[in-house]
């Protein structure tokens, strides 16, 4: 499989500058893109199998039924999946597409993790040898305009990964996507919906502590870029629903006063006992939010596919 690489143009210096700026801000933050090194991606795969983590359990059957509705539209189509991860979602979708249509499809997994593209690419190649495959190792926030296509495209953004962006970033992202979309292109956007707060908080505070390990892994990734000496065991995993922003927030709380150093940094990073590093937002939506986002991005909301409980939605958007 060919893998186009846009990540090597992102220099280590700019990665370090970004991390340092986030750790110097008040409150301290770490960008959630840094969760996904190899062990972070593996931990996320484990999260998707947890009993408490409900989103895939609802999105997967929705993808099955939606694929059947899309069937006729998928001939001679390029499927571009943003944040494709282990590609398990697109597999569910493709299983519903007849082989004679799949022969005409080229699938483009786009992910910041090259390992994830390579591993899932091998699985897909075996499973659907008749389908074209073309990996894109890129940051969908930075490189969206580099994703070219002559044929009609179906952009897929599953798992409610859009929810990990702030409202402003999500709008900017959708506007940029709109600007690269052509008349016949479509977007299928997975969005986790507002529901009982206990259900949401349980999903991010699982009993096996896998989400806590996923959260703390961001410190290991930070250490590998900045040569800092963060000890993940010195932090507590904190996850709660922030109603004002309609989002689940993940933080890492310092268990003690600490001074984090690096040979690359002139000044050390000081944390007080109880201080939190904000690591992730996971927005939960209403149908009102979905309409507002489509409108603000200049996209037409063609359909919302949802489950009986309205826990998860697949929003279909096209150009106006
Ligand atoms: N879509 C999959 C995976 C979700 S996890 C699912 O629903 O199960 C989020 C995925 O997006 C990870 O594979 C991560 O590496 C990727 N990702 C996160 N931020 C990204 C960015 N800015 N650009 C490209 N990929 C990103
Ligand atoms: C990838 N993303 C949509 C997941 C979420 O639910 O926000 C990441 C995650 N964080 C903790 N658990 C899962």
């Amino acid at each position: 499989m060919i893998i186009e690489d846009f990540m090597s143009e992102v220099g280590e210096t700019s990665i370090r500058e970004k991390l340092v700026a986030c750790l110097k801000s008040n409150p301290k933050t770490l960008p959630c893109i840094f969760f996904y090194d190899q062990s972070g991606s593996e931990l996320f795969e484990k999260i998707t199998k947890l009993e408490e983590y409900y989103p895939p359990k609802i999105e997967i059957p929705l993808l099955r039924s939606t694929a059947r509705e899309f069937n006729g539209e998928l001939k001679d189509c390029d499927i571009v999946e943003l944040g494709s991860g282990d590609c398990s979602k697109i597999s569910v979708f493709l299983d519903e597409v007849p082989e004679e249509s799949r022969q005409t499809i080229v699938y483009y997994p786009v992910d910041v993790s090259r390992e994830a593209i390579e591993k899932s690419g091998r699985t897909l190649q075996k499973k659907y040898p008749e389908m074209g495959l073309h990996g894109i190792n890129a940051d969908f926030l930075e490189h969206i305009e580099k994703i070219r296509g002559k044929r009609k495209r179906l952009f897929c953004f599953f798992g409610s990964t859009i929810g990990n962006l702030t409202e402003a970033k999500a709008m900017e992202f959708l506007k940029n996507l709109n600007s690269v979309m052509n008349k016949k292109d479509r977007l299928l956007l997975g969005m986790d919906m507002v529901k009982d707060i206990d259900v949401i908080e349980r999903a991010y505070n699982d009993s096996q502590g896998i989400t806590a390990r996923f959260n703390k892994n961001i410190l290991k990734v930070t250490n590998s870029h900045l040569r800092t000496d963060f000890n993940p065991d010195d932090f507590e995993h904190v996850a709660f629903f922030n109603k004002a922003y309609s989002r689940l927030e993940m933080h890492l709380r310092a268990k003690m006063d600490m001074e984090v150093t690096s040979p690359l940094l002139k000044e050390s990073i000081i944390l007080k006992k109880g201080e939190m590093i904000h690591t992730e937002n996971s927005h939960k939506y209403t149908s009102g939010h979905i309409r507002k986002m489509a409108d603000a991005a200049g996209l037409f909301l063609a359909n919302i596919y949802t489950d009986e409980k309205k826990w998860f939605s697949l929003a279909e958007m096209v150009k106006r």
Side-chain angles (χ1 to χ4, degrees), residues 86-200:
D86 67 0
C87 293
S88 54
K89 302 270 168 76
I90 203 68
S91 291
V92 170
F93 192 86
L94 290 168
D95 279 346
E96 300 304 318
V97 177
E99 193 175 328
E100 60 269 25
S101 289
R102 270 203 310 264
Q103 277 171 3
T104 68
I105 290 176
V106 180
Y107 171 61
Y108 294 79
V110 180
D111 207 285
V112 74
S113 161
R114 191 180 176 96
E115 294 80 28
I117 298 175
E118 282 168 351
K119 192 170 162 213
S120 56
R122 282 194 293 273
T123 312
L124 290 177
Q125 226 152 20
K126 268 196 213 130
K127 200 167 174 202
Y128 313 112
E130 68 284 0
M131 189 181 73
L133 259 177
H134 182 126
I136 304 182
N137 185 203
D139 179 340
F140 52 64
L141 297 178
E142 301 286 333
H143 306 120
I144 199 86
E145 77 291 348
K146 303 206 173 170
I147 300 170
R148 299 185 196 290
K150 291 187 201 82
R151 306 197 305 169
K152 71 176 170 200
R153 287 172 298 182
L154 171 65
F155 287 93
C156 297
F157 197 20
F158 298 145
S160 203
T161 301
I162 191 157
N164 297 138
L165 308 178
T166 58
E167 199 182 325
K169 269 275 171 210
M171 294 295 189
E172 187 189 320
F173 163 79
L174 284 178
K175 274 187 197 154
N176 288 342
L177 186 57
N178 184 9
S179 70
V180 300
M181 279 169 77
N182 298 317
K183 260 261 159 291
K184 286 186 179 162
D185 293 347
R186 285 195 285 179
L187 165 66
L188 200 50
L189 184 59
M191 302 177 92
D192 194 14
M193 305 299 275
V194 171
K195 60 186 68 58
D196 191 67
I197 291 177
D198 286 346
V199 173
I200 298 175

